[in-house]
Amino acid sequence: MSNALTIEAPEGLPFIDSTREFDAPVPAVFRAHADPDLVRRWMGPRGYTMDVGAWDFRSGGSWSFVHRNPAGEEFRFRGTFHTVRQDRFAVQTFEYEGVPDVVSIESLTFEPLPAGPGGGSRTRLRIHAVYPSVEARDGMVASGMEGGMREGYEQLEELLRDQADG
Amino acid sequence: MSNALTIEAPEGLPFIDSTREFDAPVPAVFRAHADPDLVRRWMGPRGYTMDVGAWDFRSGGSWSFVHRNPAGEEFRFRGTFHTVRQDRFAVQTFEYEGVPDVVSIESLTFEPLPAGPGGGSRTRLRIHAVYPSVEARDGMVASGMEGGMREGYEQLEELLRDQADG
């Protein structure tokens, strides 16, 4: 059974608000965002490979990666980490180089949740993404980002389960 | 005679759009944003001093400074430079540490204009600033940022005139 991803794109405002819960404690979910060797194992759609160019996950750092789909097409992304607060909060910029100069900014909040029926710690991840225009936000929604996010978080859940078992 | 600063805060959207022209060529206006020894001579309200902690004006760099008013009060700011494109364009994040975790993202466009009556090259600077909520945008407008920007750009105009004369 998988936790659901919810995505809201409020009418008339350039925001995308996403929420996803995980059956794992906050430090494990946070570490999977901080460590590039873990990030490349889950981020993006199933069947894609991810080459990380930079992943300096600290306030003032920067990041870049290339996603490659099964047909070999490449999709380049880059940004900066404005704030990184261990096990709590991060603010990052985000640009898909195929749509140059349209840069969004995302706040990620990692919330501890009460233990589930199985007794383990749980985490809620909330992401508030802000786009330079409502049109840019609508373009991101139309690009199929929801499917990529959903599959990526499923892969993250599998990774967290492997870590808990392993 | 001074060029006017125009600031628009559109109803219901989390944006501030600012425009200012300068009687100086784009490379001079751009350099005054790139070089911290120039930046600290103009940015902010009159009578403030500015200590620059970091000013790494390149794609992926970061920045920080402290403004000190005549009464000795300190105001700390920091951010990252997502994109810097020489003499054309920059995207940066912006945070006033007195309102922590409310981070905006600003796109700066440097446009060359036809020569004015005096014959010299002119520049239009446009800034599109995007806030994480309409309330945060309204708070920034209410903070008196317009006066600080206006005085800062007057000081920049004086600096550019000194450079042209000097």
Side-chain angles (χ1 to χ4, degrees):
Chain A
M1 196 185 71
S2 177
N3 290 300
L5 171 67
T6 61
I7 295 186
E8 291 178 32
E11 179 77 25
L13 284 166
F15 303 147
I16 298 177
D17 288 287
S18 308
T19 306
R20 176 69 152 84
E21 298 182 5
F22 296 93
D23 299 325
V26 166
V29 178
F30 187 87
R31 194 183 322 119
H33 287 76
D35 179 346
D37 287 334
L38 297 177
V39 170
R40 66 184 180 71
R41 291 170 60 184
W42 67 264
M43 192 173 282
R46 287 193 189 275
Y48 282 52
T49 59
M50 178 173 173
D51 284 345
V52 177
W55 198 268
D56 188 13
F57 195 67
R58 59 172 183 82
S59 299
S62 63
W63 62 269
S64 66
F65 66 78
V66 184
H67 265 145
R68 213 167 268 109
N69 71 12
E73 291 172 296
E74 293 188 347
F75 306 89
R76 291 173 186 276
F77 300 83
R78 68 177 187 87
T80 60
F81 297 112
H82 175 97
T83 294
V84 172
R85 195 177 306 138
Q86 172 95 27
D87 292 342
R88 291 183 175 276
F89 186 66
V91 179
Q92 61 196 34
T93 64
F94 177 95
E95 179 178 9
Y96 166 49
E97 294 190 12
V99 187
D101 297 340
V102 176
V103 185
S104 56
I105 183 167
E106 305 177 338
S107 299
L108 288 75
T109 305
F110 299 81
E111 294 176 1
L113 294 176
S121 297
R122 303 184 69 249
T123 298
R124 180 182 294 133
L125 172 63
R126 290 187 297 118
I127 305 177
H128 180 59
V130 181
Y131 292 80
S133 67
V134 175
E135 293 70 26
R137 189 282 307 269
D138 290 344
M140 176 57 76
V141 171
S143 75
M145 53 84 77
E146 183 167 357
M149 279 182 79
R150 175 169 294 117
E151 292 184 13
Y153 288 139
E154 287 169 5
Q155 294 181 115
L156 172 53
E157 197 156 60
E158 292 157 16
L159 173 67
L160 293 165
R161 200 179 299 136
D162 287 351
Q163 290 181 326
D165 292 345
Chain B
M1 198 185 68
S2 177
N3 290 302
L5 171 68
T6 62
I7 295 187
E8 290 178 32
E11 180 79 22
L13 285 167
F15 304 147
I16 298 178
D17 288 288
S18 309
T19 306
R20 177 68 152 85
E21 297 181 4
F22 296 93
D23 299 323
V26 165
V29 178
F30 188 87
R31 195 183 321 120
H33 287 75
D35 178 346
D37 287 335
L38 297 177
V39 170
R40 65 184 180 71
R41 290 170 61 184
W42 68 264
M43 191 173 282
R46 287 193 188 275
Y48 281 52
T49 58
M50 179 174 173
D51 285 345
V52 177
W55 198 267
D56 188 11
F57 196 68
R58 58 172 183 84
S59 299
S62 64
W63 62 268
S64 66
F65 66 78
V66 183
H67 265 144
R68 212 166 270 109
N69 72 11
E73 291 172 296
E74 293 186 348
F75 306 88
R76 292 174 185 276
F77 301 84
R78 68 177 187 87
T80 59
F81 297 112
H82 175 98
T83 295
V84 171
R85 197 178 304 137
Q86 174 96 27
D87 293 341
R88 291 184 175 276
F89 186 65
V91 179
Q92 60 195 34
T93 65
F94 177 94
E95 180 178 9
Y96 166 49
E97 294 191 12
V99 187
D101 297 339
V102 176
V103 185
S104 56
I105 184 166
E106 304 177 339
S107 300
L108 287 74
T109 305
F110 299 81
E111 293 177 2
L113 296 176
S121 296
R122 303 184 69 248
T123 298
R124 181 182 294 134
L125 172 64
R126 290 186 296 119
I127 305 177
H128 180 60
V130 181
Y131 293 80
S133 66
V134 176
E135 294 70 25
R137 189 281 308 269
D138 291 344
M140 176 57 76
V141 171
S143 74
M145 54 82 76
E146 183 167 354
M149 280 183 78
R150 176 168 293 116
E151 292 184 13
Y153 287 138
E154 287 169 7
Q155 294 181 115
L156 172 52
E157 197 156 60
E158 292 157 16
L159 173 66
L160 293 164
R161 201 180 298 136
D162 287 350
Q163 289 180 326
D165 293 345

